[in-house]
Amino acid sequence: MQVSDSKRGGIFPRDVTVRPVRGYAEQRRWDALAARHHYLSFKNFYGRAIRHVAVSGEAWIALIGWQAGAFKVGARDAWIGWTRDQQFSRLHLVANNTRFVILDEGRVPNMASRVLGLSLRRLSDDMLALHGYPVLVAESFVDPSRFSGTCYRASNWHALGPTRGYSRRSGGSARFTHNGQPKEVFVRELCKDAAAKLRGEDTPPEWQIERTAEPPPADDLRSLYSFLETVEDFRKPRGRRFELRCYLTIALAARLAGYRGVIAFAEFGERLGEEQKAAAGAFWSPSRRCYVMPAEASFRYIFSNLPPDALDRALSDWAAHCARDGCRPVALDGKDLRCASKQTETERRMMAAAVEHGVGKRSVER
């Protein structure tokens, strides 16, 4: 939590309410204030997020921002007790308090605890309304060299211990570097037995963030693997364990099944059956007596250096091969109309385009 410098104002905590920002103009104002007053500045959130603002009348008193939970936090994961698969599929049910700023007008005693409590009360409902799923656990990281976490302790958060001192690099894919500044981990359950529910076997329908398709059968993977042979391998021959087309087959099949990002690609590969792994070109380990799949770091390297043109040609050939009964592959794309979706709170205006391969016939719908 960051407090901006100013004299104490005359606003009382009981007069303050918390709500999400409304429209694009308020979002830009929120971002500018967070960048100006928070000691870490602010550029944007990662993934799905909510911007809360505390107001008294028309005056903005405080800003509080939430985004998806951190991918790996040892103390939190041990406290929840979930498996790796549960963590991967349920991490969106954890919200991370990444920004908390008390503005000039709100620097009065007990304001931080008041704002935090009001935000927590509506966080799950707001996330459900905006993104389609609830929040079960809130988390936050407090820098002990700057703050003691008093407002979190006063709001019945649990201190779980320090992090290992890694931070996410800005821009590009999710990469982490050691910063040597461990932070204190705080968590708060937003419903009864939230941690037990996160590690439980049942998965209620309202928890689903994005339904993913089943992995393709081995024959389809084998077909894709053979067509990707034409993609030239840019790596040096020495030390290769997996062919380039193995990475591409897994990544493309994962993307078609609804998985996003290199972390998800590696997880998708691990979930394939032995026959599917063999069809995708996995490495047979004599010592383990099973097929071994590429690691997440390898996917990062591959897609950071892969020339896109060769992959595009191979995919076009594979799509044409898969077309049956004279059907042609169709490319689909959709975008927000510039600023149009940000002018209203109740609807999003989109433009979708479909282009038939080899013909160029195009249809557009709004």
Side-chain angles (χ1 to χ4, degrees), residues 133-196:
Y133 56 86
V135 173
L136 274 64
V137 171
E139 68 179 14
S140 185
F141 305 135
V142 175
D143 187 346
S145 66
R146 291 176 175 268
F147 311 105
S148 59
T150 303
C151 65
Y152 295 101
R153 301 179 196 276
S155 300
N156 296 320
W157 290 57
H158 302 290
L160 301 182
T163 65
R164 295 175 59 190
Y166 283 83
S167 59
R168 184 170 182 164
R169 295 181 185 176
S170 60
S173 57
R175 298 184 179 183
F176 298 85
T177 55
H178 190 263
N179 55 32
Q181 298 176 337
K183 296 183 179 180
E184 188 77 9
V185 181
F186 286 85
V187 295
R188 167 75 183 273
E189 293 182 294
L190 301 187
C191 64
K192 186 177 180 181
D193 300 326

Side-chain angles (χ1 to χ4, degrees), residues 110-153:
N110 304 318
M111 182 62 76
S113 299
R114 168 70 173 176
V115 171
L116 184 60
L118 291 174
S119 180
L120 286 173
R121 290 178 194 175
R122 62 177 304 156
L123 174 60
S124 185
D125 290 339
D126 287 344
M127 191 70 78
L128 182 62
L130 185 61
H131 298 302
Y133 56 86
V135 173
L136 274 64
V137 171
E139 68 179 14
S140 185
F141 305 135
V142 175
D143 187 346
S145 66
R146 291 176 175 268
F147 311 105
S148 59
T150 303
C151 65
Y152 295 101
R153 301 179 196 276

Side-chain angles (χ1 to χ4, degrees), residues 3 6 8 21 27 57 63 100 128 134 146 155-156 159 184 186 189 214-215 218 235 285 307 324:
V3 180
S6 177
R8 292 179 180 268
V21 297
Q27 178 180 320
L63 315 173
F100 189 7
L128 182 62
R146 291 176 175 268
S155 300
N156 296 320
E184 188 77 9
F186 286 85
E189 293 182 294
E214 291 294 324
R235 301 170 298 166
S285 173
R324 296 180 174 88

Side-chain angles (χ1 to χ4, degrees), residues 185-300:
V185 181
F186 286 85
V187 295
R188 167 75 183 273
E189 293 182 294
L190 301 187
C191 64
K192 186 177 180 181
D193 300 326
K197 292 177 181 178
L198 286 174
R199 63 174 178 265
E201 296 182 0
D202 296 334
T203 304
E206 61 269 20
W207 288 8
Q208 299 294 331
I209 183 175
E210 195 173 87
R211 294 188 179 274
T212 53
E214 291 294 324
D219 289 341
D220 289 348
L221 289 173
R222 195 174 293 110
S223 171
L224 177 58
Y225 181 76
S226 64
F227 271 87
L228 292 172
E229 185 179 10
T230 59
V231 181
E232 184 178 355
D233 198 334
F234 59 87
R235 301 170 298 166
K236 296 180 180 179
R238 183 177 180 180
R240 293 182 189 171
R241 173 172 288 189
F242 301 95
E243 293 188 46
L244 177 64
R245 55 180 173 159
C246 174
Y247 294 98
L248 302 181
T249 300
I250 296 169
L252 293 172
R255 192 66 192 89
L256 290 172
Y259 291 78
R260 295 173 180 269
V262 292
I263 296 174
F265 295 165
E267 293 282 351
F268 175 85
E270 293 294 340
R271 295 178 181 182
L272 297 177
E274 290 297 294
E275 184 181 5
Q276 293 168 312
K277 291 179 179 179
F283 173 76
W284 173 261
S285 173
S287 59
R288 300 183 187 180
R289 302 189 63 82
C290 65
Y291 286 100
V292 179
M293 303 301 283
E296 170 198 332
S298 300
F299 280 102
R300 294 188 188 281

Side-chain angles (χ1 to χ4, degrees), residues 102-114:
I102 302 297
L103 299 174
D104 297 347
E105 295 82 357
R107 295 197 65 207
V108 297
N110 304 318
M111 182 62 76
S113 299
R114 168 70 173 176

